[in-house]
Amino acid sequence: TVKTVEHLLAALAGLKIDNAVVEIDGPEIPGMDGSAWPFVQMFRKAGVREQSIPKQYIKIKKPIEVSIDGKFAMILPHPGQKISYTISFDHPVLRRQHLSFSLNEAYFAEHIASARTFGFLKDAEELKRRGLAKGVSLDNSVVIGETSILNNKLRYHDEFVRHKVLDFIGDLSLVGHPIIGHLIAFRSGHSVNIL
């Protein structure tokens, strides 16, 4: 198994790359700067070649919904690739953020790819105790304290929802083909996304 694949997968999916070989020598993908941006830069530098085999898509013909404990994700029929995502936290820094857009390579690279991982200081020790978030540090994530951000200046005023969208794109790429439909999520997170 390989852990923390979502940022790499989001970069591939966001740039419409669907045939790549990734070789690693450890149990997880490096955390880099906590976003997909370093991967986007590497892929752009390496270049992308169009192949002769037609791209395959999954076209949504009827609504699909998954929900757990007040969190949900759904996909509705839609002629393109659209994402609408809302986060809601009971915290003075976060509260509620929403983002809705049509997914294309330029939008992903400019508005989503550089949004970083974030987390609450109060949760960090528990994650470390359970052996999770090993690649997360103060340098590659936005750490939120009781009333403020403790490190790093935000790259976007709504960087938190943008990062959730980044994770969403990476998680959904695990289905194997791009999805044609309107993907809607409310506080979904990895546990709901992968269902």
Side-chain angles (χ1 to χ4, degrees), residues 108-152:
F108 176 81
E110 186 174 339
H111 300 285
I112 303 299
S114 61
R116 293 162 299 170
T117 296
F118 67 92
F120 297 97
L121 181 63
K122 64 182 175 70
D123 298 333
E125 289 181 5
E126 175 60 19
L127 289 172
K128 296 285 186 185
R129 187 186 65 73
R130 292 175 32 210
L132 301 171
K134 291 180 181 178
V136 176
S137 74
L138 292 174
D139 297 325
N140 68 6
S141 61
V142 178
V143 179
I144 304 165
E146 292 291 322
T147 59
S148 64
I149 295 170
L150 301 178
N151 67 331
N152 294 319

Side-chain angles (χ1 to χ4, degrees), residues 162-181:
R162 290 174 194 245
H163 186 77
K164 287 293 191 177
V165 166
L166 188 154
D167 284 348
F168 192 52
I169 292 168
D171 289 344
L172 290 179
S173 74
L174 291 169
V175 301
H177 299 291
I179 297 171
I180 302 298

Side-chain angles (χ1 to χ4, degrees), residues 66 171-172 174 189-195:
V66 176
D171 289 344
L172 290 179
L174 291 169
H190 298 301
S191 60
V192 174
N193 298 347
I194 62 174
L195 291 177

Side-chain angles (χ1 to χ4, degrees), residues 50-108:
E50 188 172 331
Q51 297 177 315
S52 60
I53 298 171
K55 190 178 202 96
Q56 295 183 3
Y57 294 88
I58 297 172
K59 185 173 184 177
I60 302 303
K61 295 184 177 180
K62 61 181 182 177
I64 301 168
E65 181 176 350
V66 176
S67 63
I68 300 173
D69 300 326
K71 302 173 182 181
F72 75 84
M74 67 169 48
I75 308 173
L76 303 175
H78 184 76
Q81 291 183 288
K82 184 174 181 179
I83 296 176
S84 297
Y85 200 110
T86 303
I87 61 172
S88 181
F89 290 88
D90 184 18
H91 192 280
V93 174
L94 293 184
R95 298 282 181 223
R96 193 175 189 96
Q97 293 182 355
H98 176 78
L99 186 64
S100 187
F101 62 95
S102 292
L103 181 61
N104 61 56
E105 296 166 54
Y107 190 92
F108 176 81

